[in-house]
Amino acid sequence: MMKHRGFPGRLPGTDFQFTIRRANPKGVTPITRRERFRDRKPADRRADAAFMEALWQHFGDQPFERGNLDAGRLSWLFEREVIPAEDPFDPASYDALLVIDADAARLSFPDIIDGVR
């Protein structure tokens, strides 16, 4: 499992996790699409924005390996702002390649992608 050095481990001051420390000995947690409903808590929205910002700063529009990125946090963005970069895609692999869909990310997080933040 690739560890993304310099990537924030969590949202500061919260328990919203961005990375994992070690591989799960029971098997890899698959990435699945989670629906983001309008009534999500503001803290959840801040976590999504902070995670998207960290992804954009570290990888930009280039493909990246899932590695130690948290499957739960990725799932909130998966198949919208973060899409598979390979076919076939294995959602239960630490080696899976992902890429940020800049157009979709710009619609959801315009301040982050356009550099206003």
Side-chain angles (χ1 to χ4, degrees):
M1 173 178 70
M2 176 185 206
K3 294 201 175 190
H4 298 290
R5 302 286 179 210
F7 199 90
R10 63 183 61 245
L11 179 62
T14 71
D15 285 333
F16 291 110
Q17 182 173 308
F18 291 171
T19 61
I20 57 175
R21 291 183 184 170
R22 63 190 73 78
N24 186 347
K26 296 179 185 174
V28 181
T29 303
I31 303 170
T32 57
R33 180 185 169 114
R34 290 186 178 175
E35 286 302 318
R36 294 191 312 237
F37 296 104
R38 290 183 168 274
D39 63 346
R40 288 184 73 210
K41 295 177 183 175
D44 292 325
R45 292 175 190 234
R46 281 193 306 275
D48 289 345
F51 187 63
M52 185 71 233
E53 184 173 19
L55 287 173
W56 186 251
Q57 287 178 354
H58 276 77
F59 308 115
D61 60 359
Q62 299 302 307
F64 59 92
E65 197 172 306
R66 173 189 172 179
N68 70 328
L69 298 176
D70 182 62
R73 187 55 46 200
L74 274 171
S75 292
W76 289 110
L77 305 175
F78 188 63
E79 293 183 345
R80 285 178 293 267
E81 296 86 11
V82 176
I83 56 175
E86 59 188 355
D87 188 32
F89 177 74
D90 182 5
S93 171
Y94 291 123
D95 298 325
L97 290 179
L98 300 162
V99 67
I100 295 173
D101 181 344
D103 293 331
R106 189 171 283 110
L107 290 173
S108 299
F109 305 101
D111 293 346
I112 294 168
I113 304 304
D114 292 333
V116 174
R117 255 187 148 163

